[in-house]
Each structure stands twice: as structure tokens, then as C-alpha cells.
Amino acid sequence: MQSHTPSRTGRPRSAAADEAILEATRAALVDLGWSKLTLGDVATRAGVAKTTLYRRWAGKNELVVDAVAVLFDELELPDRGSLAADIEGVVLQFAAILDRPETKTALMAVVAESTRDAPLRERIRTSIVDRQKRLVLEGRARAERRGELPVPADPCVAAETADLIFDVAAGAVVHRTLVSAEPVDADWVRRFTALLLGGLAAASE
Amino acid sequence: MQSHTPSRTGRPRSAAADEAILEATRAALVDLGWSKLTLGDVATRAGVAKTTLYRRWAGKNELVVDAVAVLFDELELPDRGSLAADIEGVVLQFAAILDRPETKTALMAVVAESTRDAPLRERIRTSIVDRQKRLVLEGRARAERRGELPVPADPCVAAETADLIFDVAAGAVVHRTLVSAEPVDADWVRRFTALLLGGLAAASE
DNA sequence: CAGTTACGCTACGACCCGTAGCGAAAGCGC
DNA sequence: GCGCTTTCGCTACGGGTCGTAGCGTAACTG
């Protein structure tokens, strides 16, 4: 969120307004998409003055990041018994979130903006990307406990491998969904997982 | 381009103006980025009236796609002797194009817009994406001639595999560059290629 | 109650959009 | 050469969004 240090005195900021604004932002993203979304319209939908919106967020970019970030909270890594099943499960979850119209149009737009805005990039990293990356680390740790993956000797190499896996998995799903515009269905996920696990097995030999 | 059927009579459209506009668009992307780029500014930079710009392109999206598309013309697939070397070469080329400031800020922006604009998505596909995908098909055909990959029995499965490889490769490079904001250097490409080839080998067994 | 902060509302200049209208320029067929 | 057609540069315009300033009111604290 926007990390406003709450002062001890004075009228407190309405928490209900916060949620109403974020909800209105998601609704506006569904109806209008990124480019036609205006802050005035969001304020009207939320039943809030436009000035209130500007008091809490610096601009459209930051607002949309916060509005979309909560959708990634539902990402979990339930234990499905094997590394392959775990991967397939989390990839399907990620694809489902990315298939929503509000994330589809918003995510790549804010990433594009972040190429010229370092603070925005940091905000995206902490509130969205790191939540995804955590799943990769958890999945590997679980696979090591199962004995499906060897415990890495060099932790530095292990970190690089985790980053590689993350970029490959997240990138592939995003590219399939947004660029190729084809569905990430169970069949595709199965083939992708087979490719990924095969590559991991070959690399650790 | 914008596929304007040239009429036999009347004053012909200036081809020099076309190139000046696209060049000005790329320069404006470098200076201003996607969101702050305005068509009026592009027209001024190109030494062209704003109305001329609107006569040739429907809007900002289409213009930027055309301006960036030509940068992907330099993508080639020189024979480096092995499938691994071919992959590493083309991935490094793709990463180099994507590292330019004009493509970095523009590509994801137009992809984000294309989620709500089917004609734009088709334009991106034909003028940018298909040029990349072609390299995957050529690379595989070459590897089959070398005997590095088995000739697929089912052409339908082969097409699906090619699509998968394409989404994985392009997606990984894009994600690494734009989301993780870390360099696609020779070391990363080597590790990615090893992962991909290992997965391919495991899948064809 | 006084002090402080957030809120809703209005109004404002600045900017960009996309289009219309005009006269001039550059080709083609005769 | 002379019309015809299309594009060009230019100006001007209504409409929309931006981000901010100002002001009176509401909410909470000590």
C-alpha cells in the first residue's frame, strides 16, 4: 500500500475508502482497460472525491499496481505429492489470475511504465513479483525434502537457478497468454512442466 | 505498414515522410517513453503536419508498432554449427533488440493495449511476433538435418512443441529483461540453453 | 472545547486529442 | 501546356483529462 505514516491526531483516513477505490479501479480496468481508465472516473465509481485519490496515490501507475496486487494473494503452493504436480498446480493458478481482464490489461502496462520509473519497478517487485518468486523457492525446498532434487552444493548457483526457473515459468505463461493469445490449459501446462523438469534433470547431472 | 492502396492518380504519398515519422517516433520513445509520447510531438520532430500523421495511422498504437517492427528485421539465424550455439546466438540477438530503450518501453505497452484490441493484436503478430517464430522453425529444421533432433512423426505435435519452445524462449527473455530487470548476458543464455535442450532431449525420449 | 487532519466540492490553467477547412503542391491523362 | 485528383502544411476548434488550489465541513484527540 502507500505506507502513509498515521499521525496520532486528526481525522483518520477512511479504510473503507481505500478498499472502495481499489475495487473501483479493478472494475474500471475491466470496463475500460488501461489506456482509457481515468482517475476521475475511478473516483466517481468509488463515491470519492478526485482530490482524495491524489492524496493517497501519486498517479495512475501506483494505483493500478496496488489494485491488482491483492489478486496475487491467492497464489498458494498446496502439496500435491510430487514436484511435477506442484509445478502444474501453481502454473495453473498463475494462469488463472493472468486470465482475468483486469490483470491482463494492467500488468504489462505497468511493467512497460516501470522501464522508465525505478520506484515503480520496486513497487511492482515487492507487491507482486516477490510473491510469485517465493513459490519457486518453496517448491524447490519441498522437492529437496522429498529427495526429488539434490541439495545444491553452492547456494549462489542455487539462487541463479531459481531466478532462471522463475523467469522461464512466469515468462512463458505471460507470453502464451498475452502475446500468443492462446489458452494456458491443462494440456499446455503438462507439456511445459515436462520440458522444465527434463531440463532440470539434465542440468543437475 | 498501413497498407494504403495507392491510387493511380493524384499526388503520391511521400515515402521520405514515412521514414521520417517512424524515425521520429523511435526518437520520441527514447526521450519520453510510451506514456508521455504524443502524436503532436512526433509530427514536430519529423517536420510533418499532425494531420499527415493521422491520414496514415489510426493512432498511437499502430504507429508505434510500425516504428518498432523494423528493429526486428535484423533477427537472423546464422549457422553456428550446433543447435545449442544457434539457440544461444538468436537469444542474444533478441535480447540485444529488447535492451534498446525504445523497444523496452514500447513493446509491452502495445501488447497491453492489444488485450482489448484484436486488430492491433493481429498487426503485432504479423509484423513482429511471426518474424521471431520463424526462427524457431528454421532452427529446428536445421537441427533435424544435422541429426540433433528426431524428425517428428506427428506434424501436429511438432507444431505444438514449436509454439511451446517459442513462448518459453521469448517469454523468458522478456521477463528477465523487463520484470526482473537483470541483464541477459552470455552466462544467463548458456544456462537457459542448457535447460531448454535438456528438456527437449527428455521430451523426445 | 481547541487543535489537527481528512474529506467533498468547485474551479482553474495547461495539455493533448482528433477533426474540419483552406490554399498550395505534386503527380497523372489529355 | 491544362484540368483532375490526391496529398501536403497550416490553422483553428470543441471536448476531454490532468493535477492543483482553495474553502468549508467532518471526524478524531487530548
Side-chain angles (χ1 to χ4, degrees):
Chain A
M1 203 62 57
Q2 57 274 21
S3 76
H4 169 258
T5 47
S7 55
R8 300 309 255 139
T9 174
R11 175 177 178 176
R13 286 191 171 174
S14 164
D18 257 343
E19 192 44 51
I21 292 171
L22 294 179
E23 174 61 34
T25 304
R26 288 187 288 270
L29 279 174
V30 175
D31 290 351
L32 308 173
W34 162 266
S35 60
K36 296 186 178 177
L37 180 146
T38 69
L39 294 195
D41 182 62
V42 171
T44 304
R45 286 171 187 255
V48 159
K50 192 173 60 165
T51 45
T52 298
L53 228 154
Y54 279 100
R55 286 192 192 98
R56 309 192 182 191
W57 283 277
K60 188 170 161 178
N61 295 331
E62 291 77 7
L63 172 63
V64 170
V65 170
D66 286 354
V68 172
V70 298
L71 298 177
F72 289 88
D73 283 341
E74 62 188 57
L75 272 179
E76 291 178 0
L77 191 62
D79 193 328
R80 294 169 181 264
S82 72
L83 178 56
D86 283 358
I87 293 177
E88 289 184 11
V90 73
V91 167
L92 277 173
Q93 279 185 54
F94 183 53
I97 296 177
L98 208 64
D99 200 45
R100 289 163 165 257
E102 57 265 43
T103 55
K104 222 183 243 179
T105 188
L107 253 186
M108 286 302 99
V110 293
V111 167
E113 291 302 306
S114 76
T115 60
R116 320 199 107 243
D117 186 341
L120 179 63
R121 188 162 54 239
E122 190 58 27
R123 191 191 199 95
I124 295 173
R125 179 196 306 279
T126 58
S127 63
I128 297 181
V129 178
D130 281 350
R131 291 185 204 184
Q132 303 166 15
K133 201 178 224 170
R134 184 174 40 80
L135 299 180
V136 175
L137 302 177
E138 284 185 20
R140 183 175 61 181
R142 185 182 292 168
E144 290 173 2
R145 286 198 298 274
R146 285 201 197 100
E148 293 178 292
L149 287 178
V151 178
D154 186 349
C156 181
V157 172
E160 281 183 342
T161 303
D163 287 349
L164 177 62
I165 302 287
F166 176 58
D167 282 327
V168 168
V173 174
V174 169
H175 199 275
R176 169 89 175 174
T177 302
L178 297 182
V179 179
S180 298
E182 287 176 25
V184 176
D185 50 20
D187 183 57
W188 187 89
V189 173
R190 203 173 306 123
R191 286 184 287 126
F192 169 76
T193 304
L195 182 75
L196 185 62
L197 284 182
L200 280 181
S204 58
E205 282 172 359
Chain B
M1 201 62 56
Q2 55 274 20
S3 76
H4 169 257
T5 46
S7 54
R8 297 313 249 141
T9 173
R11 177 176 176 174
R13 286 193 173 172
S14 163
D18 257 344
E19 192 44 51
I21 291 172
L22 294 179
E23 175 62 33
T25 304
R26 288 187 288 269
L29 279 174
V30 175
D31 290 350
L32 308 173
W34 163 266
S35 60
K36 296 185 178 177
L37 179 146
T38 68
L39 295 194
D41 183 63
V42 170
T44 304
R45 286 172 187 255
V48 158
K50 193 172 59 165
T51 45
T52 298
L53 228 155
Y54 279 100
R55 285 192 193 99
R56 307 191 183 194
W57 284 278
K60 188 170 162 177
N61 295 331
E62 290 77 7
L63 172 63
V64 170
V65 170
D66 287 354
V68 171
V70 297
L71 298 178
F72 289 89
D73 284 340
E74 63 188 56
L75 272 179
E76 291 177 359
L77 190 63
D79 194 328
R80 292 168 182 267
S82 72
L83 177 56
D86 283 358
I87 293 177
E88 289 184 12
V90 73
V91 167
L92 276 174
Q93 279 185 55
F94 182 53
I97 296 177
L98 208 63
D99 200 46
R100 289 162 164 257
E102 58 265 41
T103 56
K104 222 183 243 178
T105 189
L107 212 52
M108 285 303 100
V110 293
V111 168
E113 291 301 310
S114 76
T115 60
R116 318 199 110 244
D117 187 341
L120 178 63
R121 187 162 57 241
E122 190 58 27
R123 192 191 197 95
I124 294 174
R125 179 196 305 279
T126 57
S127 62
I128 297 182
V129 178
D130 281 349
R131 291 184 205 186
Q132 304 166 14
K133 201 178 224 171
R134 185 174 40 81
L135 299 181
V136 175
L137 301 176
E138 284 185 20
R140 183 176 62 181
R142 187 182 293 167
E144 289 174 3
R145 286 197 299 272
R146 287 200 197 99
E148 294 177 291
L149 288 177
V151 178
D154 186 351
C156 181
V157 173
E160 281 183 343
T161 302
D163 287 350
L164 176 62
I165 301 288
F166 175 57
D167 283 326
V168 168
V173 174
V174 169
H175 199 274
R176 168 91 175 172
T177 302
L178 296 183
V179 180
S180 298
E182 286 175 27
V184 176
D185 51 18
D187 183 57
W188 186 89
V189 173
R190 204 172 306 122
R191 286 184 287 125
F192 169 75
T193 304
L195 181 75
L196 185 62
L197 284 182
L200 280 182
S204 58
E205 281 171 358

